[in-house]
Amino acid sequence: MLLPSESALKADPHAVAGSTDYDIVIVGSGISGAIIAKQAAEAGKRVLVLEAGTGVNRSLVGYDDLLTTFYSAATKDNQSPFPMNANAAIPRSPQLRKLQAGETDSSTYIVQSGPYVSDTTYTRIFGGTTMHWEAKTPRMLRSDFKSRTIYGQGLDWPLSFEEVEEDYRLAEREIGVSANVEDQTYLGQTFPGDYVFPMRGLPLSYLDQQVNNGIDGTSVDLYGRTYPLKVRPYPQGRNGIPNPAYDGGAGYRPIGAVDTHQVEEGGRCQGNTNCVPLCPVQARYHSGKTLAKAFQMNGKSGQPLVDLLSQAVASKVVIDPDSGKVSALEVKVYKDAASPEHETITVKGKVFVLAAGAIETARLMLSSGLRSTSGLVGRNLMDHAYLLNWALMPQICGAMRGTSSTGGIVDLRDGPFREKQAAFAIDIHNDGWGWATGAPTSDLLELVDDRNLYGADLRQGLIDRISRQLLLAVMLEVLPVESNRITVDPQFTDALGNMRPVLSFTVPEYTMRGAAYARQFSRTVFARLGAQDHTSYDPRDFGYVAYEGQGYAIRGGNHLAGTHIMGTMKTNSVVDKNQRSWDHENLYLVGGGSMPTIGTANVTLTLAAMCFRSGRDILKYLH
Amino acid sequence: MSNRIEIFLTLSAELTAFSRFDLLGTGLAEAYLGTLDRVVGDDITDTLLAAFVALPPPEDSTRSQALRATILGNELLGDVARSLTKLWYSGTWFELSYAWTQRFGPKPADATFVVSPDAYVEGLLWKAIGAHPAGAKAPGYGSWAYPPKIPAFPGSSTAKSEAISVHLQNAGIMS
């Protein structure tokens, strides 16, 4: 993708502060803000996007610097490409520790108030968490939108699947989803008429195929119902082979890499096995691709319609007491990531969109003193709970190759059992036990230091140990619970003096009942495969949760949602079905935070779909 | 000591089971010898190289036992040789054990670090398992649908990787 060179320039903070012509001011350059910015620019509106990060990764050089940082990092955690920036800090899971009863740990950016310690992460840089995401893009199921009515659990959405379906298609186009319709029709999922995804599905990995060979045609019984097992491909937000049948035969042109000049990147997925934390070749979607299109749009006078102000941390939403409308945003603009020195500017616009992710948007609202009529800002925090199960396959399966995850076991995403326990979807990880044990580095250390192997025995030992690794990552449904929440506290602030998020969370019993079953389910799968189960959960693990006499290490999924849920009225929700604040008519809180439930779908596709809806509503409001 | 780099390469080949050719192919041999010199000091590096030179010749059946006794099982040299092995495999120098530091004194440069961005990319581990470093040397679209090509080497049980059958019909890549 070619970007006009002037768009690589940063907006001037003083010009931005003095400007009175912004129709829309958006906080955050992640996928939510990007979609709304692009839609607005297409309608000729003036847009300002505020980004807390430095914005240097807008250019290819800046993007590739992140990759070099990753290569050089001794600990390659899921935030390792992203440099430290105390002015826009991000959670980093290696820093976590288990809490004692009643203890609060403020040593990390998210203050962990417990009892459960969450290793959930999000990324405060240009492109938001789409710079880091794995890009699995399943749709939510029909039943996920009305789980209260069907299963007596969670909340119903104020929207039905049918009302969201068309926007799912828009989101799949924007992201550039690779999938085959015939692989995605399980559990009664339907697609309209002759719909095809923009690109053909990515092939299952050799590991996926080996697992499928062991379970295809088998089934499990749960509460009297039988569920067939099979490894199915996941839809993926990364470039594959364009489907010529897309868009009624018009085809689809994949979106390449973002840069100021043409480069040989942004093509088809090459199998770097590094979707998280960073695709080295921009085959995986990130919202910079959407913004690049928005930055190219000019107004009648030839001036760009969308401005980006980086190093700009929104610190307060200012409300006009008479109208209840947002009158301005206070924004702290820093000059250098290494220094807290900053100036505070005031930004004006007609409509304000908070698109900073479920935790940061809630943090900004709460630190502005805006709890909403319902009092639900920050509450109902959700993130998928992951239970990891790992085993050695009897044969070489070629772990550590491929795109990070291509297939999984998804037939228990729905069923009457959801009256009693959480549904789940299982990813098969092509990068071995990495998430669970730190493989392959941990294997190298064990074989050299503890098993005293060297030479041919070491080399063979590494093959036998690593190439057979299978990780089943069980992604469990988590329902909204009001006491699971983000708060703020003036005693916990960051380098700029902004209040940091304080997280209080208990993994709901519904989820733990699902986790206990998922553990048994994984053991059953391993038995059918003849795989050696190596799973163990350490009681000292920060995410250790005891349930019915057993213990499980629960991991966060980074699928954050629920802190400003949508609903049918201002007393039961923070935003309406268009993600507009009930209390402030020119304020939209968008993103995962608006989702009342998350089912077993990674949240990005759904929140992207909802932003298309909000974008239309904003344009209607402006007219 | 003359010809240090040659001795260093021969030692490294014996520790890793990768050929001198493979090791030179990483472009990192000098950097790794330099790392050893910088972290533990020239004197300990020279002691390690001298102990290696003093081993019985390769064709001697006692060589492996001697290497275990005088290098891997030596209080001073064992941890250093293990860190060198891990360095070749991963590009990361792993800090020496607490016990080693207590006994032989702390070395200021001894911390866990990646020698350079390309050191990570050139780690032998990935080549050993027929994979590629995460985030680099991508094998190409759809390559993951096929069995790994694990290179054979002297002393390997190659039968395992050759026994893998291919299931192209499941890969979806042929459609």
Side-chain angles (χ1 to χ4, degrees):
Chain A
M1 157 128 319
L2 258 106
L3 265 181
S5 56
E6 65 269 26
S7 69
L9 299 172
K10 282 187 223 167
D12 171 51
H14 296 116
V16 166
S19 178
T20 54
D21 72 336
Y22 289 121
D23 296 300
I24 307 174
V25 176
I26 300 173
V27 177
S29 66
I31 188 168
S32 301
I35 285 173
I36 291 171
K38 177 169 158 259
Q39 246 178 327
E42 282 166 349
K45 301 299 175 193
R46 277 283 281 151
V47 180
L48 172 67
V49 178
L50 298 167
E51 171 49 48
T54 61
V56 294
N57 55 310
R58 282 186 66 196
S59 71
L60 187 71
V61 172
Y63 189 98
D64 286 355
D65 281 348
L66 298 180
L67 190 65
T68 305
T69 306
F70 166 75
Y71 288 164
S72 308
T75 304
K76 290 188 166 43
D77 64 271
N78 57 13
Q79 301 274 42
S80 54
F82 313 117
M84 295 289 179
N85 178 354
N87 296 332
I90 53 180
R92 293 174 191 266
S93 53
Q95 301 167 338
L96 297 173
R97 62 177 175 84
K98 192 173 170 65
L99 293 180
Q100 301 300 315
E103 187 191 5
T104 291
D105 179 6
S106 63
S107 66
T108 57
Y109 174 64
I110 295 181
V111 178
Q112 301 274 352
S113 169
Y116 172 72
V117 173
S118 173
D119 66 336
T120 201
T121 57
Y122 50 92
T123 308
R124 292 171 78 192
I125 62 168
F126 176 77
T129 306
T130 58
M131 280 293 159
H132 147 156
W133 73 316
E134 193 182 89
K136 280 205 283 297
T137 53
R139 295 178 172 193
M140 284 177 60
L141 304 171
R142 243 179 210 88
S143 54
D144 292 336
F145 289 87
K146 41 187 177 182
S147 62
R148 167 58 56 183
T149 300
I150 300 178
Y151 301 121
Q153 298 287 351
L155 296 168
D156 285 350
W157 283 53
L159 290 167
S160 66
F161 172 84
E162 285 71 19
E163 287 170 277
V164 180
E165 200 280 330
E166 199 173 335
D167 288 327
Y168 267 138
R169 279 180 273 156
L170 291 177
E172 283 159 354
R173 176 193 286 266
E174 190 60 44
I175 291 170
V177 171
S178 295
N180 299 326
V181 165
E182 60 269 29
D183 294 329
Q184 305 303 327
T185 53
Y186 62 93
L187 293 174
Q189 294 186 84
T190 57
F191 297 84
D194 58 353
Y195 182 69
V196 297
F197 288 91
M199 290 170 277
R200 296 190 194 280
L202 302 184
L204 288 177
S205 69
Y206 183 68
L207 172 62
D208 292 330
Q209 298 165 46
Q210 298 297 302
V211 174
N212 191 52
N213 288 345
I215 64 167
D216 194 13
T218 72
S219 60
V220 292
D221 289 326
L222 185 56
Y223 296 116
R225 195 176 272 233
T226 300
Y227 297 83
L229 300 187
K230 182 179 175 62
V231 175
R232 301 182 188 275
Y234 267 102
Q236 309 270 1
R238 63 182 70 84
N239 289 338
I241 299 171
N243 193 330
Y246 184 70
D247 199 8
Y252 177 84
R253 188 175 170 206
I255 307 303
V258 168
D259 189 33
T260 49
H261 58 276
Q262 192 68 52
V263 288
E264 293 300 317
E265 289 202 10
R268 218 164 269 175
C269 171
Q270 305 171 357
N272 270 290
T273 329
N274 207 52
C275 314
V276 177
L278 190 71
C279 176
V281 296
Q282 302 195 37
R284 181 205 56 187
Y285 171 84
H286 60 77
S287 63
K289 298 189 181 196
T290 297
L291 285 168
K293 291 181 253 179
F295 292 143
Q296 281 182 310
M297 291 171 194
N298 294 325
K300 286 182 186 126
S301 60
Q303 284 301 104
L305 286 164
V306 180
D307 290 344
L308 174 74
L309 184 63
S310 299
Q311 306 192 174
V313 186
S315 54
K316 189 176 182 196
V317 179
V318 183
I319 303 293
D320 174 61
D322 297 329
S323 66
K325 286 162 70 169
V326 178
S327 57
L329 279 181
E330 280 180 17
V331 180
K332 292 179 178 171
V333 182
Y334 59 91
K335 291 188 175 61
D336 183 343
S339 159
E341 190 193 336
H342 66 274
E343 61 180 313
T344 302
I345 63 170
T346 300
V347 175
K348 291 187 159 43
K350 297 189 182 83
V351 170
F352 293 83
V353 178
L354 306 188
I359 289 184
E360 291 298 316
T361 292
R363 182 196 68 72
L364 176 57
M365 287 292 284
L366 293 170
S367 57
S368 305
L370 303 173
R371 296 174 59 250
S372 85
T373 299
S374 64
L376 289 177
V377 173
R379 292 187 180 271
N380 295 307
L381 174 69
M382 289 173 277
D383 179 16
H384 283 123
Y386 270 83
L387 184 74
L388 307 181
N389 297 269
W390 57 103
L392 277 186
M393 291 286 280
Q395 73 275 26
I396 299 283
C397 288
M400 306 291 166
R401 299 177 315 130
T403 184
S404 293
S405 171
T406 39
I409 303 170
V410 289
D411 285 279
L412 283 100
R413 288 184 62 194
D414 200 17
F417 66 87
R418 291 174 77 186
E419 290 174 8
K420 301 183 178 69
Q421 69 186 45
F424 59 79
I426 297 180
D427 327 334
I428 295 169
H429 271 249
N430 291 328
D431 54 351
W433 297 352
W435 191 4
T437 68
T441 305
S442 56
D443 301 305
L444 174 67
L445 300 189
E446 183 192 332
L447 266 54
V448 173
D449 292 337
D450 301 333
R451 295 211 199 167
N452 283 311
L453 299 182
Y454 80 96
D457 292 340
L458 171 61
R459 192 166 163 180
Q460 186 62 48
L462 289 166
I463 297 166
D464 293 340
R465 165 53 85 90
I466 299 168
S467 297
R468 296 159 57 205
Q469 290 181 353
L470 167 65
L471 177 72
L472 299 180
V474 183
M475 177 176 88
L476 289 143
E477 185 180 15
V478 170
L479 297 175
V481 177
E482 288 187 11
S483 57
N484 284 340
R485 62 170 175 154
I486 293 297
T487 54
V488 292
D489 183 328
Q491 69 174 311
F492 304 123
T493 54
D494 68 10
L496 295 181
N498 290 319
M499 284 191 267
R500 288 152 50 193
V502 179
L503 186 148
S504 312
F505 201 90
T506 300
V507 182
E509 189 177 347
Y510 179 80
T511 299
M512 289 313 300
R513 200 173 298 127
Y517 173 70
R519 177 72 191 119
Q520 292 309 311
F521 178 91
S522 300
R523 289 171 58 90
T524 300
V525 168
F526 291 158
R528 289 177 190 176
L529 296 171
Q532 294 170 22
D533 193 354
H534 282 247
T535 309
S536 68
Y537 307 121
D538 186 342
R540 292 164 301 176
D541 186 287
F542 61 79
Y544 190 81
V545 179
Y547 176 75
E548 291 191 340
Q550 300 289 316
Y552 307 88
I554 301 292
R555 292 280 172 266
N558 316 330
H559 304 160
L560 290 159
T563 56
H564 45 82
I565 59 168
M566 61 166 60
T568 51
M569 60 186 86
K570 71 190 302 179
T571 50
N572 68 10
S573 55
V574 179
V575 298
D576 68 11
K577 63 184 181 181
N578 296 317
Q579 304 193 81
R580 188 207 296 212
S581 159
W582 289 112
D583 291 331
H584 315 286
E585 67 169 50
N586 66 337
L587 176 65
Y588 289 75
L589 311 178
V590 303
S594 299
M595 297 171 69
T597 61
I598 53 177
T600 48
N602 311 54
V603 295
T604 300
L605 183 80
T606 301
L607 66 88
M610 290 196 302
C611 285
F612 281 101
R613 181 184 189 86
S614 299
R616 291 191 299 270
D617 196 59
I618 291 168
L619 293 175
K620 207 160 85 185
Y621 174 80
L622 284 171
H623 280 296
Chain B
M1 189 180 293
S2 65
N3 212 9
R4 288 176 97 232
I5 188 73
E6 285 303 319
I7 299 168
F8 174 75
L9 279 168
T10 315
L11 164 66
S12 297
E14 193 138 347
L15 290 174
T16 62
F18 274 87
S19 71
R20 188 176 168 283
F21 178 79
D22 288 320
L23 300 182
L24 281 171
T26 66
L28 289 157
E30 283 85 359
Y32 287 171
L33 178 57
T35 298
L36 209 52
D37 284 338
R38 191 164 59 82
V39 176
V40 301
D42 301 11
D43 48 345
I44 293 178
T45 305
D46 284 342
T47 307
L48 173 63
L49 298 180
F52 180 68
V53 170
L55 290 176
E59 58 278 11
D60 194 312
S61 63
T62 64
R63 182 176 171 93
S64 172
Q65 180 53 37
L67 188 147
R68 287 201 177 278
T70 63
I71 296 179
L72 295 173
N74 177 283
E75 290 96 327
L76 174 68
L77 302 179
D79 281 354
V80 178
R82 278 182 284 276
S83 269
L84 175 61
T85 306
K86 291 179 281 188
L87 176 61
W88 276 110
Y89 268 98
S90 67
T92 301
W93 174 267
F94 288 92
E95 187 177 350
L96 294 163
S97 70
Y98 178 74
W100 192 95
T101 306
Q102 286 295 99
R103 179 154 178 178
F104 301 108
K107 303 288 179 185
D110 181 32
T112 297
F113 64 95
V114 179
V115 167
S116 63
D118 55 326
Y120 164 70
V121 171
E122 294 298 333
L124 299 176
L125 170 67
W126 312 105
K127 186 180 267 188
I129 62 173
H132 65 96
K137 298 192 176 183
Y141 181 83
S143 55
W144 55 80
Y146 300 91
K149 292 185 180 127
I150 296 176
F153 59 97
S156 70
S157 51
T158 51
K160 264 185 186 161
S161 50
E162 282 168 5
I164 290 169
S165 57
V166 184
H167 301 277
L168 294 181
Q169 69 278 17
N170 290 336
I173 196 167
M174 303 303 284
S175 63

